[in-house]
Amino acid sequence: MRSAPTILHLDMDAFYASAEQAAKPSLRGKAVVVGGLGPRGVVATASYEARRFGVHSAMPMGQARRLAPNAAYLVPRFGLYREISEQVMGLLRELSPLVEPLSLDEAFVDLEAGGVADDEASARAVGERLRADIKAVTGLTGSVGLAASKMLAKIASEEAKPDGLRLIAPGTERALLGPMPVRTLPGVGPATGDHLRRAGITTVEEIAEAGEDELVRLLGKAHGGSLYAMALAHDERPVVAERDTKSVSVEDTYDVDIHDRVRVRGEVARLADRCVQRLRAAGHSGRTIVLKVRRFDFSTLTRSETLRGPTDDPGVVREAAARLLESVDTTGGVRLLGVGVTGLADYTQEDLFAQAQATADAGVSDEIGAEAVSGGEAEGASPGEPEEAGAEETAGPVERRWAAGHDVRHAEYGHGWVQGSGLGRVTVRFETPGSPPGRVRTFRTDDPLLEPAEPLPLVERPGRAGERG
């Protein structure tokens, strides 16, 4: 293990909620909860103000509302979060070629590989400068942990939260870890924690005292051996630079099961278009189209179709996804839909519609019960425009839906965000990241002067100074 604290772990503070507070002046300093707002929704992130009421990530949204009834409840804006994440990851890559993202808001950095730190003083200086740069570029705060290993750096960043920096000096690791609960160590989840507790082991020091043989007896050779090494502050895992993306996908979970086959077709078409948007944004194309359907009884089906060449054409992906849907029985209702593209490439195949039709003639592959679409985003459902349904099937007009927290623009009042909607009305607060808290106005959901808008930068950029609500 390294002797200098040259592994950096960055964790953005309450990332989604903090981004929403930065974007919405009226929510700063208030409880904010981001996640799925329906009866099946879960909390993605809670602001520190909301955490004081006991709200935390992965909690059912209904429970969160009981704990913090006066909090602001918002639907995630993943496009904004990805944009901010790319800015932060760019700052990390300026420090080192070895950056290992764990999620949109968390990453390890090997500072030694970047030649920017080789002792405590230089590592601390890099960490402080990084925090300042993140604040200047994104307007948000991140907590930094510095240590000689990944395990210790992550522990240090947790102790630094929120908006802090913690450096674990070489030689102090055992004393720091000793009194901590066993769940502090990587790989110790609820089941392993309970198993150790029944054996009388509740702290990291007690793991070390038990000895490797006892840990192997309790947990098996691989798990027991690695856990004993970590209890002694030994962690040889290297920082691994991010790997190439293997798939691009999106998915939606619905508050109420969808029974209308026309609506299901429309949702699949909408998901296909969103998937292609992400595919193009990443500069990729793909050969295999994957459809994921979770039915009313929680059974999950996947269907896939491999084209003769890679594509990033929305028409091809829509048509392939529609063909895959025809092989799925949705009787009884659908609770989740997803569309993904795998077999990624950096180029596209000519004559895309012809190749898709040729593939359709050859049939599609069928895999039941597998979770083939990965990396999707569980966003709130909103109906898309249904595909043409045939002579005997007609789709009625689709009411415009406005997701709480999402951006809008009114022709008269300017930029704002949705506070809520229902009963044919939508309430909008007109404010921007750089404005004072704004006024609230209510409109009909079909108001022709109101339209969805793209998020504004959290930090004002040159040329945007006149953008105000």
Side-chain angles (χ1 to χ4, degrees):
M1 189 175 71
R2 304 161 189 244
S3 58
T6 55
I7 300 296
L8 181 149
H9 180 263
L10 171 71
D11 197 348
M12 300 294 289
D13 300 322
F15 182 45
Y16 296 175
S18 294
E20 298 298 345
Q21 289 176 316
K24 302 171 173 62
S26 58
L27 297 184
R28 293 170 190 169
K30 298 181 180 179
V32 174
V33 180
V34 180
L37 302 189
R40 294 172 179 159
V42 297
V43 175
T45 308
S47 69
Y48 287 97
E49 295 85 356
R51 294 180 191 188
R52 297 190 189 110
F53 295 95
V55 180
H56 57 78
S57 61
M59 172 182 285
M61 192 60 78
Q63 183 181 354
R65 289 185 182 274
R66 290 191 293 272
L67 292 172
N70 297 320
Y73 289 86
L74 308 176
V75 174
R77 296 186 296 163
F78 288 105
L80 173 65
Y81 309 149
R82 280 194 295 270
E83 181 179 343
I84 300 170
S85 176
E86 288 169 3
Q87 293 175 318
V88 172
M89 296 303 166
L91 293 173
L92 298 183
R93 293 186 191 100
E94 292 177 4
L95 300 177
S96 172
L98 291 183
V99 176
E100 182 179 345
L102 304 179
S103 62
L104 288 178
D105 61 339
E106 186 180 3
F108 287 110
V109 184
D110 188 326
L111 300 180
E112 186 178 37
V116 295
D118 54 13
D119 57 20
E120 292 183 34
S122 57
R124 185 181 294 276
V126 168
E128 294 290 7
R129 187 170 66 252
L130 173 65
R131 292 177 57 239
D133 289 345
I134 289 173
K135 181 69 173 178
V137 171
T138 70
L140 305 181
T141 63
S143 295
V144 169
L146 293 157
S149 70
K150 291 169 70 172
M151 175 187 72
L152 293 166
K154 183 172 176 61
I155 291 172
S157 69
E158 286 295 321
E159 293 201 330
K161 283 186 167 291
D163 191 18
L165 181 147
R166 173 72 192 275
L167 184 148
I168 300 177
T172 67
E173 298 93 345
R174 289 286 302 276
L176 173 74
L177 286 175
M180 291 184 172
V182 294
R183 291 287 301 276
T184 302
L185 300 181
V188 181
T192 300
D194 286 344
H195 197 52
L196 291 171
R197 180 182 52 79
R198 288 193 294 270
I201 299 173
T202 59
T203 68
V204 175
E205 182 60 31
E206 287 170 346
I207 291 178
E209 292 174 349
E212 184 172 9
D213 290 344
E214 178 65 9
L215 267 295
V216 168
R217 186 186 69 80
L218 289 171
L219 304 174
K221 184 174 182 180
H223 196 187
S226 65
L227 199 60
Y228 177 71
M230 288 184 177
L232 299 179
H234 296 160
D235 178 16
E236 302 294 340
R237 295 175 299 161
V239 175
V240 180
E242 58 185 312
R243 299 173 177 86
D244 292 336
T245 302
K246 295 182 179 179
S247 66
V248 172
S249 62
V250 296
E251 61 184 46
D252 274 349
T253 301
Y254 303 98
D255 297 338
V256 178
D257 291 347
I258 302 176
H259 294 83
D260 183 358
R261 184 74 174 184
V262 176
R263 168 83 186 280
V264 173
R265 291 192 189 110
E267 290 295 299
V268 168
R270 183 179 61 84
L271 289 166
D273 287 342
R274 278 175 50 202
C275 183
V276 169
Q277 289 174 1
R278 290 191 61 189
L279 190 70
R280 288 180 167 180
H284 292 305
S285 60
R287 296 184 67 243
T288 301
I289 315 302
V290 182
L291 175 73
K292 175 180 176 181
V293 180
R294 181 166 296 146
R295 300 189 292 190
F296 70 99
D297 59 357
F298 287 90
S299 62
T300 302
L301 312 179
T302 64
R303 302 289 188 269
S304 64
E305 174 179 323
T306 299
L307 308 176
R308 291 189 297 178
T311 181
D312 66 352
D313 188 290
V316 174
V317 176
R318 272 198 308 270
E319 290 185 3
R323 286 193 297 272
L324 293 169
L325 179 62
E326 292 308 310
S327 64
V328 177
D329 180 9
T330 59
T331 304
V334 171
R335 62 188 296 119
L336 178 147
L337 290 168
V339 174
V341 177
T342 66
L344 302 187
D346 296 325
Y347 65 96
T348 58
Q349 181 75 34
E350 299 297 330
D351 197 13
L352 301 173
F353 285 95
Q355 66 147 346
Q357 184 59 51
T359 307
D361 294 340
V364 299
S365 63
D366 182 0
E367 181 182 351
I368 299 179
E371 298 286 345
V373 180
S374 61
E377 300 164 353
E379 301 179 50
S382 58
E385 293 295 329
E387 292 183 340
E388 191 172 331
E392 69 282 1
E393 290 182 300
T394 59
V398 179
E399 181 184 356
R400 297 172 76 187
R401 295 180 62 184
W402 304 93
H406 281 217
D407 297 83
V408 295
R409 170 163 287 282
H410 191 275
E412 180 179 353
Y413 300 109
H415 194 96
W417 58 277
V418 176
Q419 280 201 325
S421 65
L423 301 178
R425 295 288 188 271
V426 54
T427 300
V428 178
R429 184 180 289 274
F430 290 97
E431 60 187 6
T432 67
S435 75
R439 297 185 61 182
V440 175
R441 298 182 183 275
T442 299
F443 309 92
R444 293 178 57 88
T445 55
D446 59 356
D447 190 321
L449 300 182
L450 188 68
E451 61 182 7
E454 292 298 317
L456 297 178
L458 301 186
V459 175
E460 196 168 89
R461 298 171 183 170
R464 300 297 295 268
E467 185 85 56
R468 289 291 183 268

